[in-house]
Amino acid sequence: MKRAALCLLPLVLVANSEAEPETAEAESSSEFIGRYDGSSFETAMGMEIHADGTFGWGVSVGALDMRARGTWRQEGDFIYLTSDPKPVEPEFKWSGMESTGATPEDTPFLRVVWGTNGKEFQYADAELTCENGERFYDQVHRDGYPSIEALEYTDPLPVDQDPRQSCDVPDTVVLVQSIHRIRSKPFKLADLGWEAGQTVQFAFHPNDMGVADFTGVTGYLEDGMLKLVGAEWPLEMRKLPSE
């Protein structure tokens, strides 16, 4: 995976090439300037810190690809990072109500589409809370949630796991895209106008999905390792020898 991380570094440079430094040009003698490798099993990660006050970072692990770019400044033994431009977080938004004419038992409570083209978005899960206190968590399928199509390929669900049987009235829903750790605010369906036999439609807007916000991240060097504090997850990368 080390080779994958080194191959990732040129992509970091490309992503970083448009960033304009917000600070004066960094001292070329700073010990932070250089290339870093944070690869491990099944993970490729690389970072470059430039003398012009900019940085670029990227990681690839499984289905997750993330990148960041921006500016940095040094104060004593620490550097402070700022993403530039600041990424716009992806989000789920309410986009309307549908009435299909089907019976309430055959009508999903909700469905999710791409905000860009209106096509079905099949990478979301729904956390549903009902008025009777029952809670459910499952994938939002192509035909919505709860899915009728999915039942054709699985055994019947136990009553306590089937919202069609155990949910008296859907109350609130939180939409989740787990790969990029995206969670919506709680949507109260009654406030959106939901009634039995209707389907609430939500749209997923990717915005800058895959771009991490490093604003406020602090870094320091310890035993040849760059350690970043304040990111979404702990980051440690080994400094590579100068070419």
Side-chain angles (χ1 to χ4, degrees):
M1 296 301 296
K2 181 185 293 185
R3 182 178 181 182
L6 297 181
C7 290
L8 185 65
L9 285 171
L11 299 181
V12 171
L13 280 171
V14 171
N16 186 54
S17 61
E18 298 177 1
E20 292 294 335
E22 296 179 354
T23 60
E25 184 159 325
E27 291 291 339
S28 60
S29 59
S30 172
E31 67 274 23
F32 287 97
I33 296 169
R35 302 165 70 235
Y36 296 84
D37 179 15
S39 298
S40 59
F41 181 67
E42 295 186 345
T43 299
M45 179 163 52
M47 185 171 188
E48 288 199 356
I49 296 177
H50 305 282
D52 66 355
T54 64
F55 75 88
W57 170 87
V59 66
S60 179
V61 51
L64 175 66
D65 293 303
M66 296 291 291
R67 63 193 186 279
R69 61 186 177 95
T71 61
W72 65 278
R73 60 183 173 85
Q74 182 174 355
E75 293 184 9
D77 295 330
F78 297 89
I79 58 171
Y80 300 90
L81 307 180
T82 301
S83 286
D84 181 24
K86 184 176 178 63
V88 179
E89 295 184 358
E91 59 183 333
F92 292 93
K93 291 183 177 181
W94 172 66
S95 63
M97 197 75 64
E98 296 180 342
S99 296
T100 63
T103 62
E105 294 77 13
D106 294 330
T107 302
F109 301 152
L110 62 96
R111 63 190 296 259
V112 182
V113 299
W114 285 96
T116 51
N117 56 25
K119 294 183 178 180
E120 293 85 0
F121 181 80
Q122 299 185 57
Y123 308 99
D125 297 318
E127 294 181 358
L128 178 69
T129 302
C130 306
E131 288 188 358
N132 60 3
E134 295 292 330
R135 299 173 64 91
F136 302 89
Y137 184 92
D138 203 356
Q139 179 183 354
V140 180
H141 289 267
R142 180 179 62 183
D143 62 328
Y145 175 83
S147 172
I148 292 293
E149 291 183 359
L151 296 177
E152 299 176 2
Y153 305 101
T154 61
D155 295 330
L157 293 172
V159 172
D160 62 345
Q161 298 179 24
D162 186 354
R164 295 182 186 279
Q165 301 183 64
S166 297
C167 183
D168 58 346
V169 179
D171 184 35
T172 61
V173 63
V174 174
L175 298 170
V176 179
Q177 201 273 344
S178 58
I179 294 177
H180 289 87
R181 305 182 185 183
I182 301 164
R183 292 179 60 86
S184 75
K185 65 179 183 181
F187 292 99
K188 193 170 182 64
L189 300 189
D191 291 347
L192 301 179
W194 181 88
E195 297 178 353
Q198 292 183 315
T199 299
V200 182
Q201 180 170 287
F202 297 96
F204 177 73
H205 297 268
N207 298 327
D208 291 328
M209 185 170 64
V211 180
D213 188 359
F214 272 28
T215 299
V217 171
T218 302
Y220 63 95
L221 289 169
E222 185 176 275
D223 298 327
M225 299 289 292
L226 174 64
K227 299 185 178 183
L228 299 180
V229 180
E232 189 173 356
W233 54 85
L235 297 176
E236 294 188 6
M237 289 166 280
R238 179 176 60 87
K239 188 172 186 179
L240 299 175
S242 300
E243 295 182 350

